[in-house]
């Protein structure tokens, strides 16, 4: 019997019989790696032929009692919120994110603050290194056990002995199962280990959290592959040069995927941020041109953030356009709308846009604030700091209604703003009497008149 050679995509796990430059399944380049599988002739009967004696009685759906999923409460409110209320017994959760973003810190903090018996398995760091991190976090917990091990069989052996109530694996790419003949971090290893951990979690009812690295370069198996196996996928993201971190849920079999958790990475670990608006608004209270405040919604939470623009005369031939935290194409579109609908020309000017605090915003309700900041910088006239904005701008220059308008207004009022500029088409959605002045507009021209006339 000869061994067979196959090729596997390290990002999504697609199989091919020859090497491919671009994966036809996930469209990533250069992700195929060779894998040898030993060929065994299959003499077993198919499941259909073999199924005569096996039987499980189905249950009528009306007879199934569906209570609330039980949850293990945890101290970290942000994590609990993203998970949908706490850790579900027997669940398998994957936390993905770029190297150095703070995944190990988040998990160690969970291990240190949780009242359960926890086994924290690290294949990446020595117990000494983990202890140093724990000292930095500054919490002592007798119940947190550390194991430095990469062999899955030995890990399971330790579990049988110590019987933990929660298992954390840091990271899945460093763990290997002796059942599979390839190096740790390879597609087959990662897939096998995750599947084994899923079986373990379901059979023992012990929740498992695994950390997975995201690496586009490809030598490490991408967590895409794991997303199908696990129950919950959390994504830890942020800009490494800024302190803010956002925890999102990309898949959750036990809760909504709309919630997000916000943290600040500080000298003593991750701090939960309850009041995100206060972080993303700039600290100065001077009236400067080129700045406007947008009320956005991240997940289900309203958040006020500051947009900053700088429009200046272009010295070199082609004017520059750049946007940080905002889609550059959308900024170009907004500039074109201003040109066509409001007669404001940016053709001779460089235009830079920045969302303060290093956060990325996809909510289109930020459009009005972006336009206000750009025009404010162009005219060098400040926008009143007591005004904020929520509205999407369309190609014809119309200002469109946005979702959850009442929540946005409430947050603006709570933070002491006196006026919010919104689309006139939003007025039907406002049921309760707002605590701040509302200013309705329907076109971009109205905004320019309102602010700069
Ligand atoms: P880490 O949790 O090791 O990241 P990951 O496991 O995702 O690779 O944390 C990485 C960064 O966090 C590191 O550069 C240092 C910083 N950090 C702090 O700023 N404060 C702290 O208290 C800790 C523990 C880490
Ligand atoms: Mg780590």
């Amino acid at each position: 019997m000869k061994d067979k050679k196959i090729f596997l995509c390290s990002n999504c796990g697609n199989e091919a019989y020859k090497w491919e430059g671009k994966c036809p399944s996930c469209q990533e380049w250069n992700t195929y790696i060779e894998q040898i599988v030993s060929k065994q002739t299959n003499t077993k009967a198919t499941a259909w032929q073999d199924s005569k004696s096996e039987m499980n009685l189905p249950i009528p759906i009306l007879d199934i009692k569906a209570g609330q999923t039980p949850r293990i409460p945890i101290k970290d409110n942000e994590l609990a919120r993203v998970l949908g209320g706490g850790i579900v017994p027997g669940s398998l959760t994957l936390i993905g994110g770029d190297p150095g973003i703070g995944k190990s810190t988040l998990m160690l903090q969970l291990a240190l603050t949780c009242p359960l018996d926890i086994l924290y398995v690290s294949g990446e760091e020595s117990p000494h290194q983990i202890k140093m991190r724990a000292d930095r976090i500054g919490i002592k917990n007798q119940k947190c056990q550390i194991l430095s091990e990469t062999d899955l069989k030995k890990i399971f052996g330790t579990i049988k002995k110590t019987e933990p109530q929660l298992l954390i694996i840091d990271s899945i790419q460093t763990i290997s199962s002796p059942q599979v003949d390839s190096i740790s971090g390879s597609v087959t290893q990662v897939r096998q280990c995750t599947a084994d951990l899923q079986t373990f979690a379901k059979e023992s009812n012990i929740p498992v959290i695994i950390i997975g690295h995201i690496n586009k370069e490809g030598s490490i198996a991408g967590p895409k592959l794991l997303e199908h196996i696990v129950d919950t996928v959390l994504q830890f993201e942020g800009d490494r040069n800024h302190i803010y971190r956002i925890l999102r849920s990309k898949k959750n079999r036990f809760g909504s995927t709309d919630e997000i958790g916000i943290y600040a990475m500080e000298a003593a670990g991750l701090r939960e941020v309850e009041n995100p608006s206060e972080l993303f608004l700039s600290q100065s209270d001077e009236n400067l041109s080129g700045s406007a405040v947008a009320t956005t919604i991240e997940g289900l939470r309203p958040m006020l953030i500051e947009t900053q623009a700088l429009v200046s005369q272009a010295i070199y031939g082609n004017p520059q356009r750049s946007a940080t935290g905002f889609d550059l194409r959308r900024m170009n579109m907004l500039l074109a709308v201003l040109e066509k609908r409001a007669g404001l020309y940016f053709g001779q000017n460089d235009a830079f846009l920045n969302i303060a605090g290093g956060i990325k915003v996809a909510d289109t309700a930020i459009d009005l604030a972006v336009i206000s900041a750009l025009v404010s910088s162009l005219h060098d006239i400040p926008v009143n700091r007591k005004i904020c904005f929520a509205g999407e701008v369309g190609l014809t220059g119309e200002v469109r209604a946005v979702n959850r308008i009442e929540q946005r207004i409430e947050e603006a009022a709570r933070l002491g703003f006196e006026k919010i500029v919104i689309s006139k088409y939003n007025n039907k959605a406002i049921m309760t009497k707002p605590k701040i002045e509302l200013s309705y507009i329907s076109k971009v021209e109205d905004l320019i008149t309102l602010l700069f006339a």
Side-chain angles (χ1 to χ4, degrees):
M1 258 172 293
K2 259 177 77 184
D3 283 347
K4 195 173 66 169
K5 220 197 269 178
I6 60 162
F7 293 86
L8 279 178
C9 170
S10 58
N11 187 46
C12 69
N14 198 40
E15 261 182 47
Y17 290 102
K18 62 176 184 28
W19 188 82
E20 307 255 4
K22 185 182 181 184
C23 175
S25 167
C26 68
Q27 315 295 326
E28 286 288 320
W29 285 92
N30 253 334
T31 51
Y32 273 81
I33 44 169
E34 191 179 315
Q35 209 92 82
I36 310 282
V37 286
S38 51
K39 216 175 185 176
Q40 285 165 352
T41 32
N42 197 351
T43 50
K44 279 194 194 149
T46 63
W48 169 247
Q49 291 163 340
D50 211 24
S51 63
K52 285 182 196 93
S53 56
E54 316 273 324
M55 196 188 73
N56 267 338
L57 270 187
I59 319 168
I61 192 161
L62 289 178
D63 292 355
I64 303 174
K65 290 193 185 58
Q68 284 267 314
T69 334
R71 305 268 177 180
I72 301 166
I74 49 176
K75 277 254 174 62
D76 184 338
N77 290 324
E78 300 293 307
L79 181 61
R81 185 206 311 267
V82 177
L83 286 172
I87 301 173
V88 176
S91 65
L92 179 62
T93 305
L94 168 72
I95 296 199
D98 292 331
I101 206 73
K103 301 178 295 297
S104 303
T105 309
L106 183 70
M107 282 304 107
L108 187 62
Q109 248 171 275
L110 170 70
L112 290 173
T113 53
C114 200
L116 306 177
D117 288 322
I118 292 182
L119 183 63
Y120 185 106
V121 179
S122 179
E124 294 202 337
E125 289 154 315
S126 66
H128 179 71
Q129 281 169 306
I130 299 171
K131 172 74 176 135
M132 273 171 25
R133 183 177 290 135
D135 286 345
R136 227 177 136 170
I137 296 169
I139 306 171
K140 290 198 170 67
N141 185 352
Q142 205 57 48
K143 291 192 157 188
C144 173
Q145 307 269 349
I146 305 290
L147 175 70
S148 197
E149 181 55 70
T150 57
D151 184 336
L152 191 60
K153 212 166 114 190
K154 290 189 188 152
I155 295 172
F156 282 140
T158 312
I159 291 170
K160 279 193 186 126
K161 258 252 150 73
T162 57
E163 296 179 348
Q165 294 164 299
L166 171 68
L167 175 67
I168 296 172
I169 304 274
D170 184 4
S171 65
I172 190 70
Q173 276 97 359
T174 56
I175 306 293
S176 60
S177 159
Q179 271 183 309
V180 182
D181 261 343
S182 59
I183 54 159
S184 55
S186 67
V187 190
T188 32
Q189 271 298 0
V190 168
R191 190 158 55 182
Q192 182 68 41
C193 294
T194 312
D196 286 356
L197 285 164
Q198 175 70 297
T199 317
F200 161 75
K202 291 290 166 294
E203 278 175 11
S204 65
N205 216 24
I206 296 172
V208 180
I209 304 181
I210 54 183
I211 292 178
H213 294 292
I214 291 175
N215 191 341
K216 252 200 130 186
E217 276 64 51
S219 61
I220 299 176
K224 252 245 154 72
L225 178 90
L226 309 180
E227 284 174 13
H228 308 290
I229 313 176
V230 302
D231 298 314
T232 303
V233 180
L234 305 182
Q235 174 93 14
F236 205 33
E237 49 185 50
D239 185 337
R240 263 213 278 168
N241 300 320
H242 284 95
I243 63 167
Y244 314 115
R245 304 282 183 269
I246 293 186
L247 187 67
R248 284 176 207 282
S249 127
K250 286 175 78 187
K251 163 181 176 180
N252 194 349
R253 287 192 179 142
F254 312 109
S256 120
T257 51
D258 288 332
E259 291 285 8
I260 62 163
I262 303 172
Y263 296 90
M265 177 63 95
E266 295 181 343
L270 290 159
R271 177 173 61 82
E272 295 167 38
V273 176
E274 282 159 39
N275 241 332
S277 302
E278 280 150 31
L279 289 175
F280 297 110
L281 290 179
S282 90
Q283 279 79 26
S284 98
D285 25 56
E286 254 178 285
N287 257 352
L288 297 172
S289 73
S291 146
V293 174
T295 54
T296 63
I297 298 259
E298 269 291 337
L300 295 174
R301 290 159 97 178
M303 202 150 90
L304 270 73
I305 53 172
E306 181 171 337
T307 59
Q308 300 175 333
L310 180 67
V311 177
S312 62
Q313 180 126 40
I315 310 173
Y316 308 105
N318 272 342
Q320 296 184 60
R321 301 274 182 262
S322 131
T324 318
F326 187 73
D327 184 15
L328 182 60
R329 276 172 305 176
R330 192 155 185 98
M331 173 171 120
N332 285 329
M333 186 275 273
L334 293 175
L335 287 173
V337 169
L338 281 175
E339 210 159 298
K340 186 94 178 176
R341 306 290 165 196
L344 294 165
Y345 291 97
F346 289 83
Q348 304 295 317
N349 293 308
D350 293 336
F352 305 96
L353 187 75
N354 179 35
I355 308 293
I359 189 168
K360 281 197 187 65
V361 182
D363 182 4
T364 47
I366 194 179
D367 288 355
L368 269 189
V370 168
I371 282 190
S372 309
L374 285 166
V375 180
S376 157
S377 181
L378 179 75
H379 293 332
D380 202 14
I381 304 175
V383 176
N384 186 339
R385 291 198 71 82
K386 292 287 166 204
I387 303 183
C388 62
F389 305 84
E392 180 184 337
V393 173
L395 285 182
T396 59
E398 86 273 20
V399 176
R400 304 166 63 98
V402 295
N403 62 355
R404 298 178 189 277
I405 190 71
E406 288 196 303
Q407 240 181 310
R408 297 177 200 257
I409 295 172
E410 202 175 303
E411 179 75 357
R414 194 179 68 79
L415 287 163
F417 283 83
E418 285 164 7
K419 184 153 129 185
I420 178 166
V421 182
I422 58 174
S423 160
K424 90 169 187 214
Y425 306 107
N426 253 140
N427 67 347
K428 279 192 224 89
I430 300 168
M431 305 293 171
T432 48
K433 194 180 173 308
K435 293 192 199 80
I436 57 173
E437 188 189 337
L438 305 183
S439 186
Y440 292 110
I441 58 171
S442 60
K443 299 190 299 289
V444 167
E445 296 97 296
D446 302 345
L447 177 73
I448 310 298
T449 327
L450 181 83
L451 294 180
F452 307 107

